[in-house]
Short mmCIF file of all heavy atoms in Angstrom, two decimals:
data_model
loop_
_atom_site.label_atom_id
_atom_site.label_comp_id
_atom_site.label_asym_id
_atom_site.label_seq_id
_atom_site.Cartn_x
_atom_site.Cartn_y
_atom_site.Cartn_z
N PRO A 1 0.85 -1.17 0.02
CA PRO A 1 0.00 0.04 0.04
C PRO A 1 0.82 1.29 0.00
O PRO A 1 0.30 2.33 -0.38
CB PRO A 1 -0.83 -0.14 1.32
CG PRO A 1 -0.89 -1.53 1.58
CD PRO A 1 0.43 -2.07 1.19
N ALA A 2 2.12 1.23 0.35
CA ALA A 2 2.96 2.38 0.29
C ALA A 2 3.14 2.90 -1.08
O ALA A 2 3.21 4.12 -1.26
CB ALA A 2 4.35 2.01 0.86
N ASN A 3 2.94 1.95 -2.06
CA ASN A 3 3.00 2.47 -3.49
C ASN A 3 1.74 3.30 -3.86
O ASN A 3 1.84 4.13 -4.67
CB ASN A 3 3.10 1.16 -4.41
CG ASN A 3 4.44 0.49 -4.20
OD1 ASN A 3 5.54 1.11 -3.93
ND2 ASN A 3 4.44 -0.88 -4.34
N LEU A 4 0.71 2.96 -3.20
CA LEU A 4 -0.57 3.72 -3.42
C LEU A 4 -0.34 5.18 -2.96
O LEU A 4 -0.69 6.16 -3.65
CB LEU A 4 -1.72 3.08 -2.74
CG LEU A 4 -3.04 3.97 -2.63
CD1 LEU A 4 -3.57 4.14 -4.03
CD2 LEU A 4 -4.08 3.15 -1.82
N VAL A 5 0.29 5.35 -1.76
CA VAL A 5 0.47 6.73 -1.30
C VAL A 5 1.54 7.46 -2.15
O VAL A 5 1.28 8.61 -2.41
CB VAL A 5 1.03 6.53 0.20
CG1 VAL A 5 1.40 7.97 0.77
CG2 VAL A 5 0.04 5.91 1.10
N ARG A 6 2.55 6.77 -2.56
CA ARG A 6 3.53 7.43 -3.49
C ARG A 6 2.95 7.86 -4.74
O ARG A 6 3.19 8.95 -5.26
CB ARG A 6 4.76 6.51 -3.69
CG ARG A 6 5.68 6.40 -2.55
CD ARG A 6 7.01 5.81 -3.00
NE ARG A 6 6.78 4.28 -3.21
CZ ARG A 6 7.02 3.35 -2.28
NH1 ARG A 6 7.32 3.69 -1.03
NH2 ARG A 6 6.79 2.10 -2.60
N LEU A 7 2.14 7.03 -5.29
CA LEU A 7 1.41 7.36 -6.60
C LEU A 7 0.46 8.49 -6.39
O LEU A 7 0.31 9.44 -7.21
CB LEU A 7 0.70 6.25 -7.19
CG LEU A 7 0.08 6.38 -8.62
CD1 LEU A 7 1.13 6.80 -9.63
CD2 LEU A 7 -0.63 5.05 -9.04
N GLY A 8 -0.30 8.45 -5.25
CA GLY A 8 -1.24 9.59 -5.02
C GLY A 8 -0.56 10.89 -4.86
O GLY A 8 -1.05 11.87 -5.36
N ARG A 9 0.48 10.93 -4.23
CA ARG A 9 1.36 12.16 -4.12
C ARG A 9 1.86 12.64 -5.40
O ARG A 9 1.89 13.89 -5.73
CB ARG A 9 2.54 11.95 -3.12
CG ARG A 9 2.05 11.86 -1.66
CD ARG A 9 3.20 11.43 -0.79
NE ARG A 9 2.81 11.27 0.65
CZ ARG A 9 3.54 10.75 1.62
NH1 ARG A 9 4.71 10.30 1.28
NH2 ARG A 9 3.05 10.64 2.85
N GLN A 10 2.22 11.68 -6.31
CA GLN A 10 2.79 12.12 -7.61
C GLN A 10 1.59 12.73 -8.46
O GLN A 10 1.83 13.70 -9.06
CB GLN A 10 3.31 10.79 -8.23
CG GLN A 10 3.80 11.07 -9.68
CD GLN A 10 4.28 9.76 -10.31
OE1 GLN A 10 4.89 8.89 -9.62
NE2 GLN A 10 3.87 9.53 -11.58
N ILE A 11 0.44 12.03 -8.38
CA ILE A 11 -0.69 12.55 -9.07
C ILE A 11 -1.02 13.99 -8.67
O ILE A 11 -1.27 14.82 -9.39
CB ILE A 11 -1.91 11.54 -8.91
CG1 ILE A 11 -1.60 10.29 -9.64
CG2 ILE A 11 -3.20 12.27 -9.41
CD1 ILE A 11 -1.71 10.29 -11.10
N ALA A 12 -1.12 14.10 -7.30
CA ALA A 12 -1.43 15.34 -6.72
C ALA A 12 -0.55 16.51 -7.17
O ALA A 12 -0.99 17.69 -7.33
CB ALA A 12 -1.56 15.29 -5.12
N ARG A 13 0.78 16.21 -7.29
CA ARG A 13 1.73 17.25 -7.60
C ARG A 13 1.59 17.61 -9.13
O ARG A 13 1.78 18.75 -9.54
CB ARG A 13 3.18 16.76 -7.42
CG ARG A 13 3.50 16.74 -5.98
CD ARG A 13 5.00 16.66 -5.80
NE ARG A 13 5.56 15.39 -6.45
CZ ARG A 13 5.66 14.27 -5.78
NH1 ARG A 13 5.30 14.13 -4.56
NH2 ARG A 13 6.08 13.16 -6.35
N SER A 14 1.32 16.62 -10.00
CA SER A 14 1.34 16.82 -11.44
C SER A 14 -0.03 17.27 -12.09
O SER A 14 -0.05 17.58 -13.20
CB SER A 14 1.85 15.50 -12.15
OG SER A 14 0.96 14.49 -11.90
N ALA A 15 -1.03 17.17 -11.33
CA ALA A 15 -2.40 17.36 -11.78
C ALA A 15 -2.55 18.85 -12.20
O ALA A 15 -2.57 19.63 -11.33
CB ALA A 15 -3.51 16.79 -10.86
N ASP A 16 -2.96 19.11 -13.41
CA ASP A 16 -3.26 20.41 -13.94
C ASP A 16 -4.58 20.28 -14.85
O ASP A 16 -4.58 19.48 -15.72
CB ASP A 16 -2.15 21.07 -14.76
CG ASP A 16 -0.97 21.35 -13.87
OD1 ASP A 16 -1.17 21.99 -12.79
OD2 ASP A 16 0.20 20.95 -14.26
N ALA A 17 -5.46 21.20 -14.52
CA ALA A 17 -6.77 21.24 -15.36
C ALA A 17 -6.50 21.85 -16.75
O ALA A 17 -5.67 22.75 -16.83
CB ALA A 17 -7.84 21.87 -14.55
N GLU A 18 -7.24 21.39 -17.60
CA GLU A 18 -7.25 21.99 -18.96
C GLU A 18 -8.56 22.67 -19.22
O GLU A 18 -8.98 23.65 -18.56
CB GLU A 18 -6.87 20.89 -20.09
CG GLU A 18 -5.46 20.38 -19.83
CD GLU A 18 -5.21 19.32 -20.91
OE1 GLU A 18 -5.98 19.10 -21.81
OE2 GLU A 18 -4.05 18.79 -20.88
N ASP A 19 -9.44 22.04 -20.08
CA ASP A 19 -10.66 22.72 -20.43
C ASP A 19 -11.78 22.30 -19.44
O ASP A 19 -12.02 21.07 -19.22
CB ASP A 19 -11.08 22.40 -21.77
CG ASP A 19 -12.35 23.12 -22.27
OD1 ASP A 19 -12.73 23.99 -21.59
OD2 ASP A 19 -12.82 22.68 -23.37
N MET A 20 -12.49 23.25 -18.81
CA MET A 20 -13.56 22.92 -17.90
C MET A 20 -14.95 22.95 -18.60
O MET A 20 -16.01 22.56 -18.09
CB MET A 20 -13.61 23.69 -16.71
CG MET A 20 -12.38 23.48 -15.73
SD MET A 20 -12.53 24.55 -14.32
CE MET A 20 -12.12 26.17 -14.97
N GLU A 21 -15.03 23.55 -19.87
CA GLU A 21 -16.26 23.92 -20.41
C GLU A 21 -16.98 22.69 -20.93
O GLU A 21 -18.23 22.76 -21.18
CB GLU A 21 -16.07 24.94 -21.61
CG GLU A 21 -15.40 26.22 -21.12
CD GLU A 21 -16.03 26.85 -19.94
OE1 GLU A 21 -17.30 26.89 -19.90
OE2 GLU A 21 -15.43 27.28 -19.04
N GLU A 22 -16.33 21.59 -21.10
CA GLU A 22 -16.98 20.43 -21.66
C GLU A 22 -17.60 19.55 -20.59
O GLU A 22 -18.20 18.53 -20.83
CB GLU A 22 -15.97 19.55 -22.40
CG GLU A 22 -15.49 20.23 -23.72
CD GLU A 22 -14.56 19.31 -24.53
OE1 GLU A 22 -14.39 18.12 -24.10
OE2 GLU A 22 -14.13 19.72 -25.59
N GLU A 23 -17.45 19.98 -19.38
CA GLU A 23 -18.04 19.18 -18.20
C GLU A 23 -19.54 19.38 -18.21
O GLU A 23 -20.06 20.39 -18.71
CB GLU A 23 -17.50 19.79 -16.85
CG GLU A 23 -15.92 19.62 -16.75
CD GLU A 23 -15.44 18.17 -16.96
OE1 GLU A 23 -16.08 17.22 -16.31
OE2 GLU A 23 -14.46 17.97 -17.58
N ALA A 24 -20.25 18.41 -17.65
CA ALA A 24 -21.61 18.40 -17.60
C ALA A 24 -22.11 19.57 -16.71
O ALA A 24 -21.38 20.00 -15.77
CB ALA A 24 -22.24 17.15 -16.94
N GLU A 25 -23.25 20.17 -17.03
CA GLU A 25 -23.75 21.29 -16.26
C GLU A 25 -23.77 21.05 -14.73
O GLU A 25 -23.44 21.90 -13.99
CB GLU A 25 -25.13 21.72 -16.78
CG GLU A 25 -25.66 22.97 -16.09
CD GLU A 25 -27.05 23.33 -16.51
OE1 GLU A 25 -27.59 22.61 -17.30
OE2 GLU A 25 -27.53 24.37 -16.02
N LEU A 26 -24.28 19.84 -14.40
CA LEU A 26 -24.31 19.54 -12.97
C LEU A 26 -23.00 19.64 -12.27
O LEU A 26 -22.81 20.24 -11.18
CB LEU A 26 -24.92 18.10 -12.82
CG LEU A 26 -24.85 17.60 -11.38
CD1 LEU A 26 -25.69 18.37 -10.39
CD2 LEU A 26 -25.22 16.09 -11.25
N VAL A 27 -21.96 19.15 -12.98
CA VAL A 27 -20.60 19.21 -12.44
C VAL A 27 -20.09 20.64 -12.32
O VAL A 27 -19.54 21.06 -11.32
CB VAL A 27 -19.64 18.40 -13.39
CG1 VAL A 27 -18.21 18.53 -12.95
CG2 VAL A 27 -20.09 16.90 -13.29
N ARG A 28 -20.29 21.42 -13.42
CA ARG A 28 -19.83 22.84 -13.35
C ARG A 28 -20.57 23.61 -12.30
O ARG A 28 -19.92 24.54 -11.70
CB ARG A 28 -20.03 23.53 -14.73
CG ARG A 28 -19.07 23.00 -15.79
CD ARG A 28 -19.11 23.76 -17.08
NE ARG A 28 -20.21 23.25 -17.98
CZ ARG A 28 -21.35 23.86 -18.16
NH1 ARG A 28 -21.55 25.13 -17.60
NH2 ARG A 28 -22.23 23.45 -18.97
N ARG A 29 -21.77 23.41 -12.00
CA ARG A 29 -22.59 24.15 -11.02
C ARG A 29 -22.30 23.73 -9.60
O ARG A 29 -22.62 24.35 -8.66
CB ARG A 29 -24.03 24.04 -11.28
CG ARG A 29 -24.45 24.69 -12.65
CD ARG A 29 -25.95 24.50 -12.96
NE ARG A 29 -26.77 25.18 -12.03
CZ ARG A 29 -28.08 25.20 -12.00
NH1 ARG A 29 -28.69 24.45 -12.91
NH2 ARG A 29 -28.79 25.84 -11.10
#
């Protein structure tokens, strides 16, 4: 499970949003 934590931290550091306009209205609101 330590690999899960390491991967989670890696994902959290690298995650950058791109386009939000294609999201469903419920999600955007």
Side-chain angles (χ1 to χ4, degrees):
N3 293 327
L4 171 61
V5 177
R6 282 194 289 269
L7 184 58
R9 290 172 179 168
Q10 177 184 323
I11 291 288
R13 286 194 302 267
S14 63
D16 291 312
E18 295 181 1
D19 185 13
M20 292 185 286
E21 302 309 316
E22 294 185 2
E23 301 300 317
E25 181 183 3
L26 171 65
V27 174
R28 285 187 279 110
R29 295 178 66 182

